[in-house]
Amino acid sequence: MAMQKHLTVRECHRRAITALGFHSARREFLTGFEDGVIKWWDLDTGHLSQSAAEHSGMVTNLLYWSETKLVFSSSNDGTLIAWTSGAVVFDKIKLGSPIFSIAINLRRHLLACGFKNRLSVYPLDEQKTCGHVINLNKDFSDHQHTDIVSCVMALDSQIYTVGYDRKFMIFDTYETPEKTCLRAVHCNPHAHNAGITHLLLVRERESTRFLTGSFDGTVGIWSQDGQLIQRLRQFTGEITGMCYVASVKTVWITSGNSQPLILDPRSGDAISDFVDTFQSLEDSPQIKQLICLPDTGHVIGSTKSNQAIVWKYQQMACVTILHTKHPVECLSYTSKTLLLLFTGDSSGTVDKWKRNDLSPFTYSNESYNMDDTRPERRGLRCLQRKQMRGQSKRPQSRLQRPRTAGILRKGIILNNQRTSSTRANCCGYTKSLFTDELDLLVMAAENGDIYLWEFDDVSGGFPEDSATSHDKQHFMEQYDILFPGTSVAESLLKAQDTNGTLNKHLAGFTCKKVLAGHFKAVTALALVGKKSDFSTVYLLSSGWDRRLCVWDLQTCSLIETFSRPELDQWSDQRETACDGVVMDMCYCPKRKEFAYSSSDGNTYIRHFAAVSSEMTLVNILKGHEAEVTSVVWHNLMDKWITGSEDGTIRIWSEDGSQCEKILNTKGVTTCVCIDQTNGCIAAGVHDTVRVYDPDSLLLVQCNVGHTDLIRSLIHIPEMKQYVSVSWDRTVRVWKAYNKTNNQHNSKNNNK
């Protein structure tokens, strides 16, 4: 959901563009030039439709009157022209002085014109009963401006003006039997330190704001009654163009740069770095003027090199883009108290992203790496160093060799090639999970370790562990005595716990423990929480060594390593869960089963237990013709979903006994997640996020923007968004598919 470049008209005219406009009914945009020429262009193709040269001076404004489908043009030659379709002159009026700005007040049915030293208003007369489209006999002028009135804006019954005299004025309009009059209700004589060049209205449901731009290189944000709210000073030169893009609720401002600054008007924050509109443009021409078409949402810009550029709203583009220094491998999130995203990259860096409260487009981030911590190692490998060295020398299976590995594992190897000295201290992350029950981030790595990241301890609130149960109970008893029969104690305790968790989530992040139980890259993780009637939180892990480990996350101890009882205890295959590399894993709380997908093309379903002998095999999902990269449990449909490098997603029955549907993705499926709101299947297919309806198997949404493989994808119901990470070193946030809205739009289109 962003603005993307649609087309460029490279040779508009031999003279400079001085005005931009539009004709919504004909889907055209207009350009006015320094020599008085006006040209009409097709909005979809950029082809020239009409051209006219009725003005003898510079065109200063082009204004569309939607009720009559007329276009007004003004010039410094003192003429005002009304145009009908086909560039036909409907009326030509000589006002005697250069016209610098025009606006229509729909409530009072007036045309306001800004001249030098005065503002004049004229009643509109579309039937030309008085001889012209404006009534020259009932005009009224105000002379409080002492220089050029550069911009005029109308809102309800009021007219707002700014000028080169630095004034920002508000006028009330009222009518008498003879004429329509103006009365100044507000005047700021020093709104800027230099002449004001632009005035912009930003009207949203929650607020109405005005923005002013000046030769002094600043932008002022004003309330509806003319009070200064904020002044922005991060511009390199005079403000040359401003427009409000309602479709994405952002303001574009140009000041002599090739790329406009994109502003969130609600917070006043610059969000250009978080929006994909200008991220891929290099050596772009310097943009001067801007205008947004209210009906279509297109943005038109003129450049210093006399080009016209059109941007178009793309619903499938990303809402926010976050940049990282290295290819991103894994992604997880928590929304327990405030929403946090966690990413892990190929260099071994963990990034914690927090969405800013005032601006939904921007995120702040903190980066953490292992060099800053000294974690405690737990598990089998830390006790069996010799065995680990011996295991690492075992011959690899055919499927594990880089030259015959799947595209994803090849990419991991290529992306993470380092010198031996660097690799000793650094490892890339491959998978991540966040457990809200323990406030713990679990990060699996390519060296076989699993890192447990915890929030730093903060004072206030009860620590989240079993030792506090007595303190909490004592707290409850004290307040129950004071307030018997009420829930005050529970409310106070809940508030204290919430504040404590919030403070903790805003604090630092530390890796305190490392689970060492694997000998090669860990690529599959699954959580088994207390909600499944277990007394602790279990972690299942597996990866390239094909070992299946069960961990107790509360004690950070290795509980069990899966082994096949039917094989001899000296067999190399005894502790392997399958014939190929384990690629992904998922736990099903309803059935108390877990499934893991493999590079051998199969997915295995087993009962979960903390004892290896009770992890009985329930079923093997066979049918994929290549590595099965993803397996998820669809809790809204009670189905298993698998995605593969063979370009298919398969939907399996609840018990895994049969494949019910096959969905062709026409590309390598790298990751799969379930939309928890509508049940759609969202998949990372190479560099594209594709969303499928699970019943019809139709593609209902396609999000394009990544330039390399998507490695992880999640749905955040609280934000109604998908988030993806990629090897292209970006994190992208997308608008989630809205089934209700799309069905409504389809019905309207059918009508």
Side-chain angles (χ1 to χ4, degrees):
M1 188 180 68
M3 302 297 294
Q4 299 288 336
K5 190 175 180 180
H6 176 53
L7 59 87
T8 301
V9 181
R10 299 193 180 278
E11 296 181 2
C12 291
H13 195 57
R14 64 181 182 276
R15 301 297 293 271
I17 300 173
T18 56
L20 295 171
F22 59 89
H23 193 300
S24 294
R26 293 178 56 87
R27 291 187 65 83
E28 293 175 333
F29 70 93
L30 288 74
T31 52
F33 298 93
E34 193 176 36
D35 58 1
V37 173
I38 300 174
K39 292 185 178 182
W40 285 254
W41 309 87
D42 185 273
L43 189 59
D44 298 314
T45 64
H47 294 156
L48 179 64
S49 302
Q50 304 288 339
S51 180
E54 291 291 332
H55 288 290
S56 59
M58 179 179 68
V59 180
T60 55
N61 279 272
L62 294 166
L63 178 65
Y64 179 64
W65 185 8
S66 58
E67 292 180 345
T68 61
K69 297 180 175 57
L70 294 175
V71 174
F72 285 107
S73 63
S74 63
S75 170
N76 64 359
D77 64 3
T79 61
L80 179 74
I81 300 178
W83 304 84
T84 61
S85 299
V88 176
V89 176
F90 181 70
D91 195 8
K92 187 171 184 178
I93 310 161
K94 295 183 178 180
L95 297 181
S97 299
I99 309 165
F100 296 100
S101 54
I102 54 177
I104 294 177
N105 187 307
L106 294 175
R107 174 168 292 187
R108 299 298 190 200
H109 210 58
L110 299 172
L111 179 71
C113 298
F115 301 89
K116 185 175 182 179
N117 302 332
R118 86 174 194 269
L119 170 70
S120 297
V121 293
Y122 305 88
L124 291 165
D125 183 7
E126 57 267 35
Q127 302 301 325
K128 297 172 49 174
T129 56
C130 63
H132 290 289
V133 74
I134 60 174
N135 193 334
L136 299 176
N137 298 321
K138 292 186 177 182
D139 69 310
F140 184 87
S141 298
D142 182 273
H143 297 269
Q144 294 192 52
H145 277 287
T146 58
D147 206 331
I148 291 174
V149 180
S150 55
C151 291
V152 179
M153 190 76 62
L155 177 62
D156 299 328
S157 62
Q158 294 184 317
I159 294 177
Y160 296 75
T161 64
V162 295
Y164 284 6
D165 55 4
R166 301 183 292 168
K167 288 182 179 179
F168 177 25
M169 299 190 66
I170 304 175
F171 296 89
D172 261 340
T173 59
Y174 63 96
E175 296 179 358
T176 67
E178 295 79 19
K179 58 181 64 177
T180 301
C181 302
L182 293 172
R183 180 171 60 90
V185 295
H186 175 79
C187 178
N188 186 334
H190 303 290
H192 282 268
N193 292 328
I196 304 173
T197 57
H198 289 81
L199 176 64
L200 178 67
L201 170 64
V202 178
R203 194 170 194 179
E204 297 180 326
R205 179 179 300 178
E206 62 275 8
S207 65
T208 298
R209 297 285 185 265
F210 285 90
L211 276 69
T212 56
S214 169
F215 286 118
D216 64 10
T218 68
V219 169
I221 302 178
W222 310 83
S223 64
Q224 191 171 347
D225 59 355
Q227 302 303 311
L228 181 64
I229 298 173
Q230 188 178 0
R231 193 173 296 277
L232 309 177
R233 304 179 183 275
Q234 62 263 50
F235 303 97
T236 57
E238 67 179 78
I239 307 302
T240 62
M242 298 172 66
C243 74
Y244 174 62
V245 188
S247 55
V248 291
K249 296 183 178 180
T250 59
V251 173
W252 292 17
I253 304 173
T254 58
S255 59
N257 296 326
S258 60
Q259 299 179 357
L261 181 139
I262 302 179
L263 185 77
D264 183 351
R266 286 161 287 186
S267 64
D269 294 334
I271 61 172
S272 303
D273 293 338
F274 299 93
V275 178
D276 196 28
T277 305
F278 301 103
Q279 296 283 334
S280 58
L281 301 180
E282 297 181 359
D283 300 325
S284 300
Q286 179 179 325
I287 299 171
K288 293 178 61 179
Q289 296 172 297
L290 291 169
I291 187 173
C292 182
L293 282 60
D295 296 327
T296 64
H298 290 76
V299 174
I300 316 296
S302 65
T303 71
K304 192 174 181 180
S305 56
N306 236 19
Q307 299 179 7
I309 303 176
V310 180
W311 291 271
K312 185 180 179 181
Y313 173 70
Q314 298 288 349
Q315 188 175 1
M316 298 300 104
C318 68
V319 178
T320 299
I321 180 172
L322 309 174
H323 294 276
T324 62
K325 295 180 180 179
H326 302 278
V328 192
E329 290 284 349
C330 53
L331 170 69
S332 56
Y333 88 103
T334 178
S335 60
K336 185 175 180 180
T337 306
L338 71 164
L339 193 136
L340 298 173
L341 295 175
F342 303 96
T343 59
D345 62 30
S346 60
S347 71
T349 300
V350 176
D351 281 295
K352 180 177 75 173
W353 305 86
K354 176 186 174 296
R355 189 170 74 160
N356 295 336
D357 297 330
L358 295 178
S359 176
F361 300 98
T362 61
Y363 286 73
S364 58
N365 81 303
E366 298 176 11
S367 298
Y368 306 90
N369 56 64
M370 290 303 301
D371 295 336
D372 301 329
T373 61
R374 294 293 182 268
E376 176 187 355
R377 296 179 65 85
R378 302 283 187 91
L380 183 65
R381 268 181 53 214
C382 65
L383 301 175
Q384 299 179 341
R385 299 279 183 176
K386 293 182 180 180
Q387 182 180 353
M388 179 185 69
R389 286 194 293 268
Q391 290 278 0
S392 64
K393 295 178 182 178
R394 288 181 180 179
Q396 294 178 319
S397 67
R398 181 184 64 82
L399 287 170
Q400 288 174 293
R401 294 185 187 122
R403 64 182 178 86
T404 56
I407 184 172
L408 300 184
R409 287 182 289 123
K410 280 183 181 178
I412 292 175
I413 294 169
L414 293 174
N415 268 325
N416 296 299
Q417 286 179 343
R418 304 183 193 90
T419 62
S420 57
S421 61
T422 304
R423 185 173 287 276
N425 299 320
C426 179
C427 63
Y429 290 114
T430 56
K431 202 78 173 180
S432 71
L433 290 172
F434 189 90
T435 165
D436 285 324
E437 292 183 80
L438 300 177
D439 269 342
L440 194 68
L441 178 64
V442 182
M443 302 288 293
E446 62 179 11
N447 63 357
D449 288 340
I450 300 172
Y451 298 86
L452 305 182
W453 290 85
E454 304 176 33
F455 294 100
D456 292 341
D457 294 331
V458 292
S459 58
F462 294 110
E464 294 291 331
D465 56 36
S466 58
T468 64
S469 59
H470 175 74
D471 295 333
K472 290 185 178 183
Q473 184 63 33
H474 179 66
F475 178 85
M476 295 285 288
E477 290 173 356
Q478 281 185 321
Y479 278 88
D480 281 338
I481 294 173
L482 296 175
F483 304 99
T486 69
S487 59
V488 174
E490 288 89 342
S491 300
L492 290 172
L493 184 60
K494 183 178 180 180
Q496 186 174 8
D497 283 343
T498 301
N499 291 335
T501 305
L502 177 62
N503 292 334
K504 183 166 67 172
H505 282 194
L506 293 173
F509 218 34
T510 306
C511 179
K512 296 183 179 179
K513 295 181 177 64
V514 177
L515 307 182
H518 293 276
F519 303 104
K520 295 178 182 178
V522 178
T523 53
L525 296 174
L527 287 170
V528 182
K530 294 181 180 179
K531 294 180 180 179
S532 299
D533 298 328
F534 293 103
S535 59
T536 187
V537 178
Y538 291 105
L539 174 69
L540 287 162
S541 63
S542 190
W544 286 21
D545 62 3
R546 298 177 288 166
R547 291 164 55 87
L548 183 59
C549 296
V550 183
W551 306 85
D552 185 335
L553 282 185
Q554 286 190 314
T555 61
C556 299
S557 57
L558 180 63
I559 300 298
E560 182 66 292
T561 301
F562 172 78
S563 61
R564 301 184 188 180
E566 70 274 11
L567 296 180
D568 186 271
Q569 62 178 347
W570 302 109
S571 171
D572 288 343
Q573 304 298 318
R574 181 176 172 83
E575 290 189 351
T576 58
C578 54
D579 294 334
V581 170
V582 178
M583 304 297 295
D584 195 18
M585 189 183 297
C586 179
Y587 175 72
C588 170
K590 178 183 177 181
R591 298 179 60 85
K592 294 186 179 179
E593 297 171 352
F594 67 98
Y596 52 94
S597 62
S598 173
S599 62
D600 62 15
N602 299 328
T603 300
Y604 302 82
I605 303 176
R606 292 184 178 274
H607 285 297
F608 173 75
V611 180
S612 179
S613 59
E614 297 178 11
M615 295 183 187
T616 56
L617 184 65
V618 176
N619 235 318
I620 301 178
L621 311 183
K622 297 182 178 181
H624 285 293
E625 299 177 356
E627 293 188 357
V628 185
T629 57
S630 302
V631 56
V632 295
W633 170 255
H634 198 311
N635 62 318
L636 301 179
M637 296 176 58
D638 292 335
K639 308 286 184 184
W640 290 103
I641 312 291
T642 56
S644 170
E645 285 189 1
D646 64 6
T648 66
I649 294 175
R650 291 177 178 254
I651 303 175
W652 307 81
S653 60
E654 181 177 348
D655 59 1
S657 59
Q658 61 179 342
C659 177
E660 297 181 345
K661 296 179 181 179
I662 301 177
L663 197 161
N664 291 308
T665 61
K666 300 179 181 180
V668 173
T669 304
T670 58
C671 50
V672 175
C673 80
I674 304 302
D675 190 313
Q676 298 301 320
T677 303
N678 53 44
C680 287
I681 301 171
V685 181
H686 193 71
D687 57 1
T688 305
V689 177
R690 298 177 181 265
V691 184
Y692 298 91
D693 184 279
D695 299 320
S696 64
L697 302 186
L698 294 176
L699 178 66
V700 294
Q701 182 168 305
C702 183
N703 299 111
V704 179
H706 282 297
T707 58
D708 207 332
L709 283 180
I710 296 173
R711 295 296 294 124
S712 186
L713 175 67
I714 61 174
H715 173 235
I716 304 179
E718 297 86 351
M719 294 168 54
K720 298 180 181 179
Q721 292 175 334
Y722 306 128
V723 184
S724 59
V725 297
S726 168
W727 282 342
D728 64 7
R729 306 185 182 189
T730 66
V731 182
R732 293 177 184 256
V733 182
W734 317 85
K735 185 178 180 181
Y737 173 68
N738 190 323
K739 197 170 187 178
T740 304
N741 286 353
N742 282 271
Q743 287 176 346
H744 178 72
N745 293 336
S746 298
K747 290 180 180 179
N748 291 339
N749 293 334
N750 293 333
K751 291 179 181 179

